[in-house]
């Protein structure tokens, strides 16, 4: 019996191709599994990161200031005076026209001669002497003639039993004049609208009364009309108005308007004709 030598088993080309193809399919399947797994994980991580970012910055917008009236986006950009105006006007709820109506209502037959938001640009007063001799350091930023709007806190006044008003609240201080020139000082809480004090100026001289009576009779333009002339020229909030003579001895309403950039513009409005005689912008 003759033995044939053992031959190595050979793999047919077709079988080799099948094995290679099968290996490739397995590798592709594994790669697909890995890719799918990674994709899901990446998506989950991205979603989680987005969710966490939303929690940290829920209110971020293209306008980081979030401020009203187009005010500067950063307080650091404001000057000291502008920051003070922004703070005070953001607190005051009673507007100029409401305060004017309230003040005039305190004096029968009276007319408004001066109205200021206390604590706002007080150091800008023109320094016109006050006939009342009031020691008040705030003065009138309009430089109006006659007694200081703050006046004396006379115990006999008809004001509110709570002379201090709301704690820390800004105040409107007004001067209301009777037909004979008698001035009354009226203080109004600029948050609640409550009249804090209303009292006649006991320090007026006869000459003071005569001058005020003469000015009031010549001012055919009302404070409200003068304020409208000013705000038609420069949109903003009226923070002060006062009757005075300008350098040319023309009787004018001096009107302060604070615009949305917190700058103040002072207008001299002819008290008889209603035309603007002068305009000064305070850049501070």
């Amino acid at each position: 019996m003759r033995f044939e030598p053992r031959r190595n088993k050979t793999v047919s080309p077709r079988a080799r191709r099948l094995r290679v193809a099968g290996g490739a399919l397995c590798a592709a399947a594994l790669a697909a599994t890995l890719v799918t797994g990674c994709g899901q994980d990446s998506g989950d991580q991205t979603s989680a990161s987005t969710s966490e970012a939303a929690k940290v910055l829920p209110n971020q917008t293209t306008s980081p200031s979030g401020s009203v009236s187009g005010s500067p986006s950063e307080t650091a950009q404001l000057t000291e005076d502008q920051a003070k105006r922004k703070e005070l006007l953001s607190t005051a709820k009673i507007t100029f026209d409401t305060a004017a109506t309230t003040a005039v209502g305190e004096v029968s037959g009276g007319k408004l001669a001066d109205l200021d938001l206390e604590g706002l640009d007080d150091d800008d007063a023109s320094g016109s002497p006050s006939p009342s001799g009031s020691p008040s350091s705030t003065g009138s930023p309009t430089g109006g003639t006659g007694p200081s709007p703050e006046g004396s806190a006379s115990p006999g006044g008809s004001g509110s039993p709570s002379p201090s008003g709301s704690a820390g609240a800004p105040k409107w201080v007004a001067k209301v004049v009777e037909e004979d020139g008698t001035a009354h000082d009226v203080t109004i809480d600029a948050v609640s609208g409550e009249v804090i004090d209303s009292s006649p100026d006991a320090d007026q001289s006869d000459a003071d009364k005569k001058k005020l009576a003469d000015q009031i009779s010549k001012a055919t333009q009302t404070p409200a009309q003068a304020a409208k002339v000013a705000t038609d020229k420069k949109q903003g909030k009226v923070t002060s108005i006062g009757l005075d003579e300008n350098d040319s001895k023309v009787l004018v309403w001096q009107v302060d308007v604070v615009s949305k950039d917190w700058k103040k513009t002072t207008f001299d409005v002819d008290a008889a004709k209603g035309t603007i005689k002068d305009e000064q912008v305070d850049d501070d």
Side-chain angles (χ1 to χ4, degrees):
M1 182 175 196
R2 195 175 65 178
F3 292 94
E4 296 289 337
R6 292 188 63 178
R7 296 180 180 177
N8 291 331
K9 292 184 178 180
T10 58
V11 180
S12 68
R14 181 174 183 277
R16 186 179 294 110
R17 285 196 299 271
L18 289 175
R19 286 184 183 181
V20 171
L25 289 174
C26 290
L30 178 60
T33 302
L34 291 175
V35 170
T36 302
C38 292
Q40 290 175 343
D41 182 63
S42 175
D44 291 342
Q45 289 179 354
T46 302
S47 176
S49 299
T50 303
S51 177
E52 288 301 315
K55 292 178 182 178
V56 175
L57 302 172
N59 297 319
Q60 183 172 345
T61 64
T62 55
S63 176
S65 66
S67 57
V68 296
S69 303
S71 61
S73 60
E74 297 293 339
T75 303
Q77 296 177 348
L78 302 178
T79 66
E80 183 178 349
D81 286 340
Q82 288 172 329
K84 188 175 182 180
R85 292 174 195 136
K86 178 180 179 181
E87 179 181 5
L88 194 59
L89 289 173
S90 298
T91 304
K93 306 301 180 185
I94 303 304
T95 59
F96 158 80
D97 51 347
T98 300
T101 300
T102 300
V104 171
E106 287 293 303
V107 181
S108 178
K111 292 184 178 181
L112 187 69
D114 197 284
L115 179 63
D116 303 286
L117 188 57
E118 187 180 60
L120 195 67
D121 298 301
D122 290 330
D123 56 349
D124 293 339
S126 64
S128 300
S130 170
S132 68
S134 169
S136 171
S137 60
T138 56
S140 167
T142 62
T145 58
S148 166
E150 289 83 4
S152 56
S154 170
S158 59
S160 164
S162 175
S164 62
S166 303
K171 300 174 181 64
W172 285 101
V173 287
K175 178 173 64 182
V176 182
V177 181
E178 295 182 50
E179 188 176 356
D180 66 354
T182 300
H184 295 254
D185 301 312
V186 183
T187 305
I188 301 165
D189 189 307
V191 175
S192 67
E194 172 190 10
V195 176
I196 299 171
D197 183 69
S198 178
S199 57
D201 182 3
D203 297 327
Q204 269 189 298
S205 67
D206 290 340
D208 293 335
K209 291 182 179 180
K210 184 178 184 305
K211 183 176 182 178
L212 278 174
D214 183 58
Q215 287 182 333
I216 287 294
S217 66
K218 290 179 179 178
T220 55
Q221 293 289 310
T222 66
Q225 289 172 324
K228 186 178 186 305
V229 169
T231 53
D232 281 348
K233 183 69 181 296
K234 172 75 73 173
Q235 291 187 353
K237 294 182 178 181
V238 175
T239 60
S240 176
I241 189 167
L243 195 58
D244 196 9
E245 288 184 351
N246 64 10
D247 293 339
S248 300
K249 301 302 180 183
V250 175
L251 187 65
V252 296
W253 287 106
Q254 288 188 329
V255 186
D256 287 350
V257 178
V258 174
S259 50
K260 64 182 181 181
D261 57 4
W262 309 110
K263 291 183 179 180
K264 181 188 73 174
T265 304
T266 300
F267 295 92
D268 284 357
V269 181
D270 192 308
K273 299 178 181 179
T275 55
I276 295 176
K277 307 296 289 184
D278 189 43
E279 178 181 345
Q280 297 289 334
V281 178
D282 186 348
D283 292 327
D284 293 334

